[in-house]
Structures are given as C-alpha cells and as structure tokens.
C-alpha cells in the first residue's frame, strides 16, 4: 500500500506528462491520499492490537506443573463438554469459539483467522478494526483507480496513424499503468475479504468456524447438519458487532446439545 501511495502521488497527481489537475480531480485525489494514510494507520493499529489473547495457564513459568491436571471439569464454567477446548500448549480450558494460533502461539477468543496482511490474528478484540481497515482500503483503491483513469483519459492527445490508444498509454504513462495494476490487485483482495467478512458477521460465524464446521460439535444439530447457536438474525448480529465490536458468546439462540440430551 505504501508503494501504491507513492506511485499515485508521483505518477498520477504530479506527473509532468499529464494534463493539469483540475480542482475537482485534485479534491478527489487528495481524498484518496488521506484515506490511504488513514488506512496505513489502521493497518498499524490492527497489527499491534491484542486480538483477544487468552492468558496461559503457566504464566511466566513454562516448567511449572501442568495446571490442566488440577482443573475440576465438573465445576468449571468454561468447560462445555468439548475436549477440543483443552489446549495442551497454553495449559488452559479455552472458551468454545476460541482457537490456538500456530503462528502467534496463543489461544485467541472468537478466533477468525491469522491474517498475513496485518501479521496478526483477527479475533474478538480487533475484528471490527480489521473490517474498518478493509472498508478504508476498498474506498482508497476505488477513488485512486477512478482518478488515475480520468487522468489518462483526458491526457491522451490525438494519435498518429497506426498507433493504438493502448500502445500509447502503456509506453507514455508506465507509472500510471503500474499504479493501476497494483491498485486493482489491492482492490479485489480487499473487496473479496470485506464481502466474506460482511456475510459472516451477518450470520455471526467466524472464518475458522466455516472452514472447520464439521470438527466442532456445537455447530451441529441433532441431525448432524450445520446449526449455528450464535446466530440471532442479521439485524442483531450486525448491530452487536457495530456497537460492541463483537458478540456475546453467553447469548445463544438455543441450548447446547448437552442440555438437549438430558
């Protein structure tokens, strides 16, 4: 994104071989630059923010006695009868929707996925920031692409016989073309991720749960088919996410399977 910002300012806004920037184009251009800077700030924020790490059972004493051996499963509010809740690495009983990240080497609440873009996990405490970053990235690339296309379109002179418009643009404005290629790649990546996240937020389900639905008993009904006990409807799912940044795992749409079986 930094390279894209440099190309946009140097090869699109201030390119000497393009026509003079009009007031309208300049306004949109600097709006795009401002959004790009804000996106970089949000990227840094997402990278450094705690995604919802769960405190390990050993603390700062990895050689201490395994705390899992001393846990009374019958009197533990976190235990839901699912053996996958036990994490032998962190030495804890983790909440149902959490997962151990092999990259971060920590268990994360409401684990969604480990994102290489931000070099951090996406979880309960930073998912709203991550979605905000995707929204800003989509807006930035959209504005940048439109400004770049407008700048080329109004700068190409009358072409000589035998020269095509595409050939002229590629060889006369290589910096703008390089920006458009990079901008398009970021746009499609950000838009795809944003669409996936929006769909999952509306259903109150994580990327990890979608990918591993058959591994988690709490996502299966008595008939063995997929059933999400945390789905309260699109309106409540989205409003809870926008207001709180996450949903409450204690609120379930129906009792867990253990209670149904009793």
């Amino acid at each position: 994104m930094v390279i894209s910002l440099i190309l946009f300012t140097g090869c699109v806004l201030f390119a000497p071989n393009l026509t003079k920037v009009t007031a309208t184009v300049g306004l949109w251009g600097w709006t795009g630059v401002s959004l790009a800077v804000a996106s970089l700030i949000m990227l840094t924020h997402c990278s450094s923010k705690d995604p919802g790490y769960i405190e390990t059972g050993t603390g700062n004493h990895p050689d201490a006695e395994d705390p899992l051996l001393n846990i009374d499963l019958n009197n533990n509010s976190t235990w839901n009868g699912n053996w996958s809740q036990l994490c032998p690495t962190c030495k804890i009983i983790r909440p149902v929707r959490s997962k151990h990240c092999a990259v971060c080497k920590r268990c994360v609440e409401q684990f969604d996925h480990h994102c290489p873009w931000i070099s951090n996990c996406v979880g309960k405490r930073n998912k709203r920031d991550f979605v905000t970053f995707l929204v800003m990235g989509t807006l930035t690339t959209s504005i940048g692409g439109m400004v770049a296309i407008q700048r080329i379109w109004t700068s190409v002179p009358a072409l000589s016989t035998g020269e095509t418009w595409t050939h002229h643009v590629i060889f006369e404005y290589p910096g703008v073309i390089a920006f458009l290629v990079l901008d398009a790649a970021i746009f499609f990546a950000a838009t795809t991720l944003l669409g996936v996240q929006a769909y999952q937020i509306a259903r109150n389900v994580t990327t990890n749960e979608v990918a591993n639905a058959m591994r988690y008993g709490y996502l299966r009904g008595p008939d063995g088919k997929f059933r999400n006990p945390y789905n309260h409807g699109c309106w409540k799912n989205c409003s809870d996410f926008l207001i709180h940044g996450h949903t409450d795992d204690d609120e379930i749409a129906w009792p867990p399977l253990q209670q149904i079986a009793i």
Side-chain angles (χ1 to χ4, degrees):
M1 188 171 285
V2 175
I3 297 175
S4 180
L5 179 59
I6 294 174
L7 286 173
F8 181 73
T9 54
C11 300
V12 177
L13 286 183
F14 297 121
N17 57 341
L18 295 176
T19 57
K20 186 178 180 181
V21 177
T22 63
T24 302
V25 174
L27 177 62
W28 279 109
W30 285 111
T31 299
V33 170
S34 301
L35 280 172
V37 173
S39 298
L40 290 173
I41 294 174
M42 183 57 69
L43 172 64
T44 304
H45 177 68
C46 290
S47 300
S48 59
K49 188 173 181 179
D50 178 1
Y53 291 132
I54 302 173
E55 185 177 355
T56 61
T58 56
N60 297 324
H61 305 284
D63 297 329
E65 181 182 358
D66 193 335
L68 287 177
L69 299 176
N70 299 321
I71 293 178
D72 184 0
L73 297 181
N74 296 322
N75 296 312
N76 190 288
S77 59
T78 306
W79 174 250
N80 200 29
N82 189 342
W83 289 105
S84 64
Q85 288 182 254
L86 301 179
C87 180
T89 304
C90 296
K91 313 297 184 185
I92 58 171
I93 297 178
R94 55 195 176 204
V96 174
R97 306 185 74 187
S98 63
K99 185 179 183 295
H100 186 86
C101 176
V103 179
C104 296
K105 303 185 186 304
R106 296 282 299 275
C107 284
V108 180
E109 280 191 275
Q110 292 185 14
F111 177 85
D112 191 86
H113 68 286
H114 184 91
C115 181
W117 279 30
I118 64 174
S119 189
N120 193 11
C121 285
V122 176
K124 183 175 183 178
R125 298 178 192 169
N126 70 342
K127 187 171 183 177
R128 183 171 58 181
D129 298 323
F130 179 70
V131 172
T132 302
F133 166 65
L134 294 178
V135 171
M136 296 174 69
T138 301
L139 290 175
T140 300
T141 52
S142 300
I143 294 174
M146 289 188 294
V147 170
I149 292 173
Q150 192 277 342
R151 294 281 285 145
I152 291 178
W153 193 262
T154 57
S155 298
V156 176
L159 302 178
S160 59
T161 304
E163 185 180 20
T164 63
W165 187 88
T166 304
H167 180 274
H168 179 84
V169 168
I170 291 176
F171 286 92
E172 290 296 324
Y173 314 115
V176 182
I177 298 302
F179 166 76
L180 283 172
V181 171
L182 183 58
D183 186 74
I186 298 175
F187 172 79
F188 285 115
T191 304
T192 301
L193 280 173
L194 180 59
V196 171
Q197 288 293 319
Y199 175 73
Q200 292 175 353
I201 290 168
R203 299 175 62 207
N204 194 10
V205 68
T206 66
T207 301
N208 174 60
E209 289 173 333
V210 171
N212 302 289
M214 292 299 100
R215 292 177 52 192
Y216 300 131
Y218 67 92
L219 292 176
R220 292 196 301 271
D223 56 358
K225 296 182 179 180
F226 178 83
R227 183 195 70 167
N228 181 12
Y230 300 101
N231 186 358
H232 298 276
C234 180
W235 175 256
K236 179 170 174 54
N237 295 338
C238 293
S239 60
D240 284 350
F241 179 80
L242 292 174
I243 295 172
H244 305 293
H246 58 83
T247 55
D248 189 353
D249 287 348
D250 293 331
E251 296 182 7
I252 57 176
W254 45 71
L257 296 182
Q258 297 95 309
Q259 295 182 15
I260 294 177
I262 297 177

